[in-house]
Amino acid sequence: MAKHVAVLMGGWSSEREVSLNSGAACAAALEGAGYRVTPVDVGRDVAEVLARLKPDVVFNVLHGAPGEDGTIQGILEILRIPYSHSGVLASALAMDKAQARIMLAAAGVPVAKGGLVSRAAAAKAHAMERPYVLKPNTGGSSVGVFIVREDQEHPPQELTREDWTLGENLLVEEFIAGLELTCAVMGDKVFDVIEIESTQAFYDYESKYAPGGSRHILPARILPEIYQRVQMLSLTAHRALGCRGVSRSDFRFDPSKGDASGLVCLEVNTQPGMTRTSLVPELAAHAGISFGELVKWMVEDASLDR
């Protein structure tokens, strides 16, 4: 009988729609590869649903909490259902940007100057010398990210909104001018490097997901030594956080520095987007791995105690 795969998608985070799109694409590809697939739009009864379905494998395509922060991973460990991507600890570490920065820096992966600040403090006064970036400490898809420019007199007042739902702790980092770069790791295989050109002021939610919002340049137009440095740092970051399966690391590079000193790692994504036009599938295709082959590898790589 065909292996039964439950594809977890949706959920209740700010990245729900992205997850639904990723999940639909992966479910279709897995059905095409011959698996028996059950799509699951995750609710708070997910443990009961999975206990009833009894899948052989869970393909996790949730973005944000609870699918990317170790919560779902813990449930799957208890249920003893093998699952894709990273385990409990790596997921929790990568999702907490402040903690991930500590681990990355200790492993020799450069990060931007910065640290944690409360939402109230960030709204009251500039958290560091301008220009700087403010973003939720736990979140993704550039939701709730603000770039504070040199000429911006006041901090973002959106932070004072009563309907703010993105957490009370924010990460403040110096703004690195230059290029947006990304690189993925699949097991122990490092992919090539994409340079991202955004039509917006920065690579925000619209740039990532709206048609024509950005242009992906593969391979990135950077010097070979910088290119190889990004690849090496991506693998180092993947291993430093204890990631499994596929991860994607995002970088900023200031070419005016003239060397790798202008390179910093922004974050590691343990649940990168998985639509057919997402960055990881694009990198895989460049390496000769089709979308169907990519998702099949993730299913066959699934395990417990990750």
Side-chain angles (χ1 to χ4, degrees):
M1 293 180 63
K3 188 176 289 187
H4 182 198
V5 182
V7 179
L8 302 189
M9 64 181 84
W12 54 85
S13 80
S14 59
E15 300 174 79
R16 171 177 169 79
E17 292 304 317
V18 180
S19 175
L20 288 172
N21 290 335
S22 288
C26 292
L30 289 169
E31 286 181 343
Y35 294 100
R36 183 162 68 94
V37 177
T38 302
V40 178
D41 188 346
V42 171
R44 297 186 185 277
D45 61 346
V46 61
E48 299 169 29
V49 171
L50 289 173
R52 183 173 67 252
L53 288 175
K54 295 182 171 58
D56 299 307
V57 172
V58 158
F59 191 96
N60 182 10
V61 204
L62 288 165
H63 303 311
E68 200 167 357
D69 63 356
T71 304
I72 282 291
Q73 291 78 7
I75 291 172
L76 295 170
E77 292 287 353
I78 292 170
L79 294 174
R80 305 309 289 169
I81 303 173
Y83 57 96
S84 65
H85 297 81
S86 293
V88 176
L89 180 57
S91 299
L93 276 174
M95 191 68 171
D96 188 320
K97 293 180 175 65
Q99 292 300 316
R101 282 166 50 90
I102 295 171
M103 297 295 292
L104 294 176
V109 178
V111 296
K113 295 176 183 176
L116 277 181
V117 62
S118 71
R119 178 164 69 102
K124 186 175 181 180
H126 286 300
M128 68 185 304
E129 184 178 346
R130 293 164 287 178
Y132 63 88
V133 181
L134 281 170
K135 52 187 160 183
N137 188 48
T138 57
S141 291
S142 298
V143 177
V145 175
F146 302 94
I147 295 181
V148 181
R149 306 288 182 180
E150 294 94 329
D151 59 354
Q152 191 167 325
E153 186 176 351
H154 302 290
Q157 291 308 292
E158 292 91 338
L159 298 174
T160 64
R161 290 175 53 141
E162 292 184 2
D163 60 350
W164 178 267
T165 61
L166 301 175
E168 294 305 309
N169 289 321
L170 302 175
L171 186 65
V172 57
E173 291 182 324
E174 64 175 333
F175 174 73
I176 307 296
L179 307 177
E180 189 96 21
L181 305 172
T182 195
C183 180
V185 175
M186 173 179 162
D188 288 324
K189 177 181 177 61
V190 184
F191 287 135
D192 277 278
V193 181
I194 287 179
E195 175 187 346
I196 301 164
E197 279 191 348
S198 173
T199 59
Q200 306 298 315
F202 78 106
Y203 191 45
D204 60 5
Y205 187 95
E206 183 177 351
S207 300
K208 291 180 177 180
Y209 304 115
S214 63
R215 184 165 74 100
H216 300 167
I217 301 161
L218 177 60
R221 302 168 299 184
I222 51 179
L223 293 171
E225 54 265 34
I226 305 299
Y227 201 99
Q228 293 164 14
R229 176 78 171 158
V230 171
Q231 291 178 305
M232 184 272 287
L233 291 174
S234 296
L235 183 58
T236 300
H238 180 91
R239 290 172 172 170
L241 297 181
C243 297
R244 296 287 301 275
V246 173
S247 74
R248 195 193 79 233
S249 294
D250 299 333
F251 298 83
R252 291 285 290 186
F253 174 58
D254 182 356
S256 70
K257 300 288 187 182
D259 57 23
S261 65
L263 184 66
V264 298
C265 182
L266 298 179
E267 63 180 322
V268 177
N269 300 275
T270 57
Q271 298 285 143
M274 282 295 295
T275 68
R276 290 183 179 272
T277 57
S278 294
L279 292 161
V280 166
E282 186 174 356
L283 286 164
H286 187 72
I289 302 169
S290 70
F291 189 76
E293 290 169 334
L294 176 63
V295 295
K296 182 178 179 180
W297 182 91
M298 291 181 179
V299 167
E300 298 305 323
D301 175 68
S303 65
L304 287 161
D305 306 312
R306 296 172 73 84

